[in-house]
Amino acid sequence: MELLHPWRLDFPKPSEPELRSAPVVSLILPCFNEQEVLPETTRRLVALLDRLSVEGRAAPGSAIYYVDDGSGDCTWRLIGEYAAAFPTVCGIKLSRNRGHQNALLCGLLTAPGDVLVSLDADLQDDLEAIPRMLDSYRAGNEIVCAVRGRRTTDTFFKRSTAEAYYRLLGMLGVQVQFNHADFRLMSRRAIETLRGYEETHLFLRGLIPQLGYRTAVVEFERASRFAGESKYPLRKMLSLAWQGVTSFTAYPLRLITGVGALVSLGSLALAAWALGIRIFTDDAVPGWASAVIPMYLLGGVQLLSLGIIGEYLAKVYESTKKRPRYHVEAVCGHSIDGSSRDNP
């Protein structure tokens, strides 16, 4: 008789998890003055949905949802024409420009579907990454982030500052995916959890990791903009960067304490220096060191500190008013549920 070693126990092997069935896919694209790129974007996305349906990756009912963020050109008219021509195209028009993050949130909270994929309308996000994102979802992931493998299409300034910003957020304790913007897939479960977050100042790439669901990463190569101009100039990028810092960490407030301590030490050092000049040399200018240096130094630190505190107080003030983040003025297409409501 063969003896079994006590450390060799034949446990049953865990069964492989079954793949999820093909989901109903909603593609969410915020638009602001995108009339130049919209025809080509629609052509490619309609072809992509048809292919995903044939391949069994997307179920019937999958659709494209354009969110017009108060455009001043012909964007909404084009969306209406495409919605009439293609059953898979729908449109949501905001009553005024509310910014990219609010427009994106509107699409996520309004569109139906088992999974929602958010992407830009300028065709810089690689559409071929979407099938891989769907495969990752079917393997069991609730959130799939599309991350730029390389930033070859960016200028040196934009690439270096963006990467430095992601590293800075990590140092401040903000959980973000490096080199990830808003090209992501979210399951219906993740979307309904996101609905419970009522933050006024949105920074979705920092908010989504707070949901805590199983997340995967898919790399892609970002292309150049197909047509038109970037809707994120330096001013808006800086505003979004500051939003990411002040919305997820109180580190700048704590930094004020550190700056105050350094100023105090610096003031003591200046006092010692001025005293030494007075005692050991004849070069001292009466009253200069004791008046001018502390006045400018402390005045600058105080103004900086008040500005940072004021920024946080402004966010608290705006959040307590609980104003709606957007209003839906009009919709077109057949697949929008509850589209006549203003969604807070």
Side-chain angles (χ1 to χ4, degrees):
M1 178 183 297
E2 182 182 357
L3 296 178
L4 293 177
H5 294 287
W7 60 85
R8 291 179 56 190
L9 301 178
D10 296 327
F11 291 109
K13 295 182 179 180
S15 58
E16 293 292 332
E18 295 183 1
L19 288 178
R20 292 168 168 169
S21 58
V24 176
V25 180
S26 295
L27 304 179
I28 312 298
L29 296 92
C31 301
F32 179 68
N33 294 338
E34 298 287 5
Q35 64 177 10
E36 296 179 30
V37 73
L38 212 55
E40 180 64 17
T41 301
T42 303
R43 185 188 69 80
R44 294 190 190 184
L45 290 179
V46 169
L48 174 66
L49 281 185
D50 290 341
R51 196 185 84 198
L52 292 176
S53 178
V54 171
E55 294 173 351
R57 285 188 165 109
S62 299
I64 304 159
Y65 293 85
Y66 290 119
V67 184
D68 182 12
D69 186 23
S71 298
D73 59 2
C74 297
T75 295
W76 179 245
R77 180 178 62 80
L78 289 175
I79 292 174
E81 292 177 358
Y82 297 140
F86 302 101
T88 56
V89 176
C90 304
I92 305 170
K93 181 176 177 14
L94 302 188
S95 59
R96 58 180 289 264
N97 179 259
R98 299 297 300 176
H100 176 271
Q101 296 291 282
N102 282 309
L104 177 55
L105 182 71
C106 172
L108 293 174
L109 300 187
T110 304
D114 299 320
V115 299
L116 290 87
V117 179
S118 59
L119 66 159
D120 292 338
D122 55 14
L123 294 177
Q124 288 190 274
D125 295 330
D126 184 11
L127 301 186
E128 294 305 314
I130 295 178
R132 291 184 282 131
M133 296 166 75
L134 292 172
D135 292 342
S136 182
Y137 162 78
R138 295 184 66 188
N141 295 296
E142 301 290 340
I143 301 172
V144 184
C145 299
V147 175
R148 305 176 194 182
R150 294 179 297 174
R151 304 182 68 110
T152 54
T153 58
D154 293 340
T155 63
F156 173 79
F157 174 78
K158 184 175 182 180
R159 180 172 61 253
S160 57
T161 53
E163 292 178 350
Y165 174 65
Y166 282 112
R167 294 188 177 95
L168 174 63
L169 287 179
M171 292 171 57
L172 296 180
V174 182
Q175 185 181 358
V176 291
Q177 179 66 50
F178 189 77
N179 269 341
H180 168 64
D182 290 304
F183 187 18
R184 73 176 66 86
L185 176 149
M186 298 180 67
S187 68
R188 173 53 55 185
R189 181 185 182 188
I191 291 294
E192 294 306 315
T193 304
L194 178 64
R195 195 183 299 274
Y197 288 74
E198 300 180 355
E199 300 188 15
T200 303
H201 301 276
L202 287 174
F203 184 66
L204 289 173
R205 66 191 70 176
L207 186 60
I208 301 302
Q210 304 295 318
L211 305 183
Y213 292 120
R214 182 177 172 182
T215 303
V217 170
V218 169
E219 288 193 355
F220 75 101
E221 297 297 326
R222 189 168 173 83
S224 300
R225 185 179 177 87
F226 180 80
E229 297 179 353
S230 173
K231 304 307 183 295
Y232 255 95
L234 180 61
R235 177 181 58 84
K236 287 190 176 181
M237 287 193 295
L238 291 176
S239 176
L240 182 64
W242 181 244
Q243 192 84 277
V245 172
T246 56
S247 295
F248 288 93
T249 177
Y251 185 84
L253 292 175
R254 300 188 184 101
L255 185 62
I256 293 174
T257 304
V259 172
L262 290 176
V263 170
S264 299
L265 292 175
S267 299
L268 292 175
L270 284 172
W273 172 79
L275 183 61
I277 293 294
R278 177 64 177 172
I279 294 174
F280 299 108
T281 72
D282 296 327
D283 299 330
V285 178
W288 179 84
S290 61
V292 176
I293 297 178
M295 180 179 66
Y296 280 100
L297 187 61
L298 293 176
V301 171
Q302 288 173 349
L303 289 175
L304 175 63
S305 302
L306 286 174
I308 294 176
I309 295 173
E311 178 70 19
Y312 279 91
L313 287 177
K315 289 183 178 294
V316 173
Y317 168 68
E318 293 176 5
S319 298
T320 54
K321 291 185 290 187
K322 295 184 178 180
R323 292 177 178 175
R325 290 174 289 198
Y326 55 83
H327 295 286
V328 176
E329 178 181 335
V331 297
C332 58
H334 69 287
S335 300
I336 301 178
D337 181 25
S339 56
S340 62
R341 300 175 304 191
D342 287 340
N343 201 326

